[in-house]
Amino acid sequence: MSERTPSRRGRVADVLVPVAVDQTYSYRVPAELDLAEGDLVEVPLGTRQAVGAVWEIGEGGGSNLKAVSGRFDIPPLSEKLRAFVDWVARWTLSPRGMVLRMCARAPFAAVEEKPRVGLRRAGPEPKRMTPARARVLAALDGDLAVLKSELAERAACSASVIDSLVDEGTLEAVALPLEPVAGACNPDFAPPELEADQANAAAALIEDVKARGFSVTLLEGVTGSGKTEVYFEAVAQALRDGRQALILMPEIALTAQFLDRFAARFGARPAEWHSGVSPRKRARIWTGVAQGAVKVVAGARSALFLPFGDLAALVVDEEHEAAYKQDDGVSYHARDMAVVRGQIDKAAVILASATPSIESRVNAEQGRYKHLRLGARYGGAKLPSIEAVDLRREPPPRGRWISPPLVTAVGAALAAGEQALLFLNRRGYAPLTLCRACGHRFQCPNCTSWLVEHRFRRALVCHQCGHIERVPQHCPECDNVETLTPCGPGVERLAEEVAKLWPQAKALILSSDFPGGTQRLRDELEAVAHGACDIIIGTQLVAKGHNFPLLSLVGVIDADVGLSNGDPRAAERTFQVLQQVTGRAGRTGRLGRALVQTWQPEHPVIRALISGDAEKFYSEETEQRRRAGLPPFGRLAALIVSGKDRASAENHARALVRTAHALPPNPKWTLAALGGLPRDDEISLLGPAEAPIAVIRGQHRFRLLVRAPKSADLQGFLRALLATAPPERGGVRVTVDVDPQNFM
């Protein structure tokens, strides 16, 4: 903490602290402490000292108030960022303190960073020269210091060889400066050669950045059309203007290819912001962004809350991805909040996708967003041909999952020296294990969900709460031995079948369940791109914009997964993921082909995918949303009531319904009569109903769904309901999710 010049006496600071409260606390500003709005300060809170941000400063005695303890020597939060915090809190009905926590946690979560030590030549050659020592000395680059690990790799020797040279005085250790969090990006390092459609789209985005005003553009282009190169030009213009840019990505931790493409265009990588970045590095990035030293950040959804001072371009890549919605803590959708941040910061917002969300499509059709289209793949590459395999007519053999047509196609791809991708959006070995003798099914003790067998871990795992138990040798219900049977395929089971069908082929499973974390997945994706395997078996993460040059065939094992649940976005999401994953084939000039195994080839999603008529699918799905009053033509909010026992949760949920219908009339909304059919201009309250996954982590869950016309003040209605409702007692908790994406 530091002190500035003394301030005037008699000032009071309203301080917001990053805890689950919506209000600010008033503190007396000491005469010797100069504070400004946005400063990060230390204040007494109860019996402890807490970090907070000065939200407002006013005149007043404040003699009966506790005093601000001090100010941290950290860049303050700008007025724009504070306005963004307030807006997100109002929209999501979250405490402002929790939104502030996402903005200001990084600089205080850092730990001491280990010093970097390098080695350089210091003295004469050693008395005894060995081949390993000679390689070490040859690997040194003049007087420049080199990290020990890097030197050992260059010289292909052990660390002990280097240590012996230090002991003899041939080498010396020197302190190295901290590794920069981002390189100096040069907008003119390697300008691309854009095709006509790309150049026109890039020119439009460049003009938006130059205008220094708020705009939103939907950049829609088929897979492989070069959308990334186009929005890179908007980033380049931001850099030419000396301003900042943010690129949001759903899986930035996995996309090493994207970072390489960025470095090839700009000569350096951007700052990375995701959960895999160390706390100390995150603190340095946060400070660099606030000071304007870090010009470009590529990050996950939380990067939206970084303290940009001069944001010029804000890109949301793969804007349709459900991963942009955060369900825990503050429930927000990063795509929608990016538009708000762009409006507050007067930035050009670019939403990029090959399969845009219906919300973005409708906004573009209604003129709220600009709409740029790239209709062909870069370099004349052809889109893959897509065929349906009707499993009713050509099913796989009993106990197998790959149909005869797909077996033939994979064999042909392997014979041609090309890669094949088998896509199945189910992790593990099997989604259900049961006993053939008594019918016992293995269920999580904490959740109403089946345990998924993970054979490589020899465990049954709950994908809701993370519960793990060993696979038993006998049935716990009837005690029979060797009667436990896995039901259905996961990617691990599919790998077994691949090994039997093509024993000479190198197969690789890409799934987030395997040990090794983010770095392992990055390495494996890089290996696939360089042709290190013949058959890729992957879950949804393989559909997220990766480029596999040798991939010519995609086989979708079960295209019907996700079509039969109660999610109103099920058809849209299934179409998006299938369109994305089939689009991995033939991206570099090879003829691509996709085979889609399905039990219902007549389904509108499958028909649209096979015919390539995405416009018809979007038109039909949009019309269904319009008739039902669902987003983007209406608004939704979910109230999730959870409790330790079923009765208390259900009783509180029913009390919420009674409270809603007892609210006094309000000109900003009209609630439909209980049991009646709502009019188009009325708010309707559906439920309570037990959630599809009724128990998670021991908490019984009931859901209420609030459907409102766009003209209604949905947030105002929810605030009035929660303020009037009975207090939460006995462990009951109510969570609000505005614009829910998950209906489980």
Side-chain angles (χ1 to χ4, degrees):
M1 288 179 290
S2 67
E3 295 182 359
R4 291 191 282 208
T5 56
S7 67
R8 294 175 293 169
R9 294 181 181 274
R11 293 205 300 166
V12 174
D14 291 336
V15 176
L16 184 63
V17 292
V19 295
V21 295
D22 196 54
Q23 67 182 63
T24 58
Y25 295 102
S26 295
Y27 292 90
R28 176 172 50 85
V29 179
E32 68 276 8
L33 188 64
D34 184 23
L35 285 186
E37 292 176 351
D39 281 343
L40 295 169
V41 295
E42 186 177 55
V43 293
L45 186 67
T47 59
R48 63 185 179 90
Q49 292 289 313
V51 172
V54 178
W55 228 244
E56 191 174 346
I57 292 181
E59 300 297 328
S63 58
N64 60 333
L65 299 176
K66 293 181 180 180
V68 175
S69 302
R71 182 184 66 84
F72 289 97
D73 191 15
I74 292 174
L77 305 185
S78 68
E79 181 180 358
K80 292 178 179 178
L81 185 56
R82 299 198 309 276
F84 183 57
V85 169
D86 288 338
W87 203 100
V88 173
R90 286 195 305 270
W91 181 263
T92 63
L93 275 76
S94 301
R96 281 192 296 169
M98 294 304 291
V99 183
L100 171 66
R101 192 165 184 259
M102 296 192 295
C103 292
R105 177 172 48 185
F108 299 100
V111 294
E112 193 65 29
E113 193 164 10
K114 293 181 180 179
R116 299 173 75 237
V117 178
L119 297 167
R120 66 183 179 188
R121 186 72 178 264
E125 293 186 354
K127 295 178 180 178
R128 186 173 65 89
M129 182 66 75
T130 66
R133 288 181 167 186
R135 290 197 303 273
V136 170
L137 297 180
L140 289 170
D141 187 8
D143 294 330
L144 297 178
V146 181
L147 289 171
K148 183 195 287 188
S149 58
E150 183 180 345
L151 185 57
E153 184 178 351
R154 286 184 189 178
C157 70
S158 65
S160 60
V161 175
I162 298 172
D163 291 337
S164 67
L165 290 172
V166 174
D167 293 339
E168 289 196 33
T170 304
L171 302 181
E172 68 174 352
V174 294
L176 295 177
L178 292 175
E179 187 177 6
V181 295
C185 299
N186 179 359
D188 301 311
F189 179 78
E193 294 182 6
L194 300 178
E195 295 180 346
D197 287 350
Q198 290 179 310
N200 292 335
L205 297 180
I206 288 171
E207 288 304 312
D208 288 341
V209 174
K210 285 182 175 180
R212 292 179 173 261
F214 168 62
S215 65
V216 186
T217 300
L218 174 60
L219 176 60
E220 181 179 357
V222 298
T223 56
S225 60
K227 296 181 293 295
T228 303
E229 284 71 20
V230 169
Y231 70 65
F232 273 175
E233 296 313 293
V235 174
Q237 186 58 47
L239 291 171
R240 291 189 190 97
D241 294 343
R243 304 179 70 196
Q244 294 172 299
L246 169 62
I247 304 172
L248 294 182
M249 306 191 74
E251 297 286 353
I252 180 62
L254 303 181
T255 49
Q257 283 185 357
F258 169 83
L259 299 173
D260 291 341
R261 289 170 70 182
F262 187 97
R265 169 65 181 86
F266 295 102
R269 288 191 170 198
E272 291 182 59
W273 184 270
H274 52 80
S275 58
V277 178
S278 69
R280 177 58 187 164
K281 190 171 183 179
R282 288 164 73 94
R284 291 171 57 208
I285 293 172
W286 192 97
T287 302
V289 169
Q291 294 174 339
V294 173
K295 295 297 185 183
V296 185
V297 176
R301 61 183 179 232
S302 58
L304 191 59
F305 295 88
L306 284 170
F308 291 96
D310 192 11
L311 189 60
L314 202 171
V315 180
V316 184
D317 199 8
E318 307 291 355
E319 65 87 28
H320 65 277
E321 276 284 347
Y324 282 124
K325 181 63 186 285
Q326 176 167 295
D327 292 318
D328 297 330
V330 178
S331 180
Y332 70 95
H333 200 301
R335 177 199 63 219
D336 299 338
M337 295 305 103
V339 173
V340 174
R341 178 98 201 239
Q343 187 171 27
I344 292 173
D345 282 57
K346 300 293 187 290
V349 179
I350 302 163
L351 309 178
S353 177
T355 54
S357 63
I358 288 178
E359 286 86 345
S360 296
R361 267 286 195 119
V362 170
N363 280 327
E365 290 169 3
Q366 294 177 345
R368 297 184 63 193
Y369 298 170
K370 300 176 184 179
H371 197 178
L372 300 174
R373 295 174 184 262
L374 301 175
R377 283 185 160 180
Y378 179 78
K382 301 296 184 183
L383 288 167
S385 63
I386 305 177
E387 307 162 41
V389 177
D390 189 343
L391 294 177
R392 298 170 300 187
R393 298 178 179 178
E394 299 179 284
R398 185 177 178 84
R400 297 288 182 90
W401 314 102
I402 305 176
S403 64
L406 185 53
V407 170
T408 301
V410 172
L414 296 179
E418 298 170 340
Q419 289 175 324
L421 165 63
L422 299 179
F423 171 75
L424 177 62
N425 205 19
R426 285 202 190 104
R427 295 175 289 165
Y429 185 84
L432 171 65
T433 300
L434 58 77
C435 174
R436 294 193 308 272
C438 69
H440 173 75
R441 300 184 178 195
F442 286 85
Q443 181 175 312
C444 176
N446 308 314
C447 311
T448 50
S449 62
W450 307 123
L451 293 176
V452 177
E453 180 179 353
H454 287 253
R455 189 153 290 189
F456 75 93
R457 296 165 66 179
R458 297 181 182 178
L460 297 170
V461 180
C462 175
H463 286 173
Q464 299 299 324
C465 70
H467 169 81
I468 300 177
E469 59 185 63
R470 305 298 293 177
V471 177
Q473 298 299 317
H474 55 83
C475 175
E477 189 71 23
C478 67
D479 211 35
N480 271 310
V481 181
E482 296 182 354
T483 58
L484 301 182
T485 303
C487 298
V491 286
E492 294 175 35
R493 194 171 194 180
L494 191 60
E496 281 189 357
E497 184 175 350
V498 166
K500 293 175 182 176
L501 289 170
W502 301 283
Q504 303 304 318
K506 295 179 181 178
L508 179 65
I509 302 176
L510 290 176
S511 173
S512 58
D513 286 305
F514 281 65
T518 298
Q519 188 56 50
R520 177 193 63 80
L521 285 170
R522 275 190 172 187
D523 293 342
E524 290 179 345
L525 288 166
E526 192 69 18
V528 171
H530 287 92
C533 69
D534 304 309
I535 301 176
I536 308 110
I537 303 162
T539 60
Q540 188 170 339
L541 67 86
V542 301
K544 299 180 185 295
H546 307 296
N547 185 29
F548 304 139
L550 297 178
L551 183 65
S552 65
L553 175 69
V554 171
V556 177
I557 300 302
D558 188 351
D560 307 322
V561 173
L563 283 177
S564 302
N565 61 39
D567 187 340
R569 293 185 175 88
E572 177 190 11
R573 286 179 175 166
T574 301
F575 176 77
Q576 288 167 338
V577 72
L578 293 181
Q579 185 88 317
Q580 291 280 346
V581 75
T582 55
R584 298 308 103 202
R587 289 169 64 95
T588 55
R590 298 173 183 270
L591 290 177
R593 185 185 182 196
L595 294 182
V596 179
Q597 296 186 165
T598 176
W599 293 99
Q600 39 186 341
E602 70 285 348
H603 193 284
V605 169
I606 306 300
R607 287 205 317 266
L609 186 71
I610 302 304
S611 67
D613 192 355
E615 292 301 320
K616 183 178 180 182
F617 169 77
Y618 275 112
S619 176
E620 292 176 352
E621 190 70 13
T622 300
E623 185 56 31
Q624 288 186 26
R625 296 270 191 96
R626 190 193 310 273
R627 289 198 301 265
L630 294 174
F633 304 102
R635 299 189 57 202
L636 291 178
L639 298 172
I640 301 96
V641 183
S642 58
K644 294 179 180 178
D645 63 89
R646 187 181 189 280
S648 61
E650 183 176 14
N651 289 338
H652 193 86
R654 295 193 181 283
L656 286 174
V657 175
R658 293 193 296 271
T659 301
H661 287 281
L663 289 174
N666 191 296
K668 295 184 179 180
W669 69 76
T670 303
L671 185 63
L674 190 62
L677 292 175
R679 301 195 311 264
D680 290 342
D681 61 345
E682 291 181 328
I683 291 178
S684 58
L685 192 59
L686 309 176
E690 198 168 43
I693 303 177
V695 183
I696 294 181
R697 297 183 178 90
Q699 294 289 308
H700 294 260
R701 305 164 66 244
F702 282 81
R703 292 178 62 94
L704 292 163
L705 190 64
V706 183
R707 186 171 62 185
K710 293 194 73 172
S711 58
D713 181 7
L714 177 59
Q715 276 81 359
F717 168 75
L718 293 171
R719 286 191 191 91
L721 171 59
L722 296 175
T724 313
E728 301 170 6
R729 292 194 176 98
V732 171
R733 183 186 175 197
V734 179
T735 304
V736 180
D737 184 3
V738 176
D739 190 24
Q741 303 289 311
N742 183 351
F743 290 82
M744 293 293 107

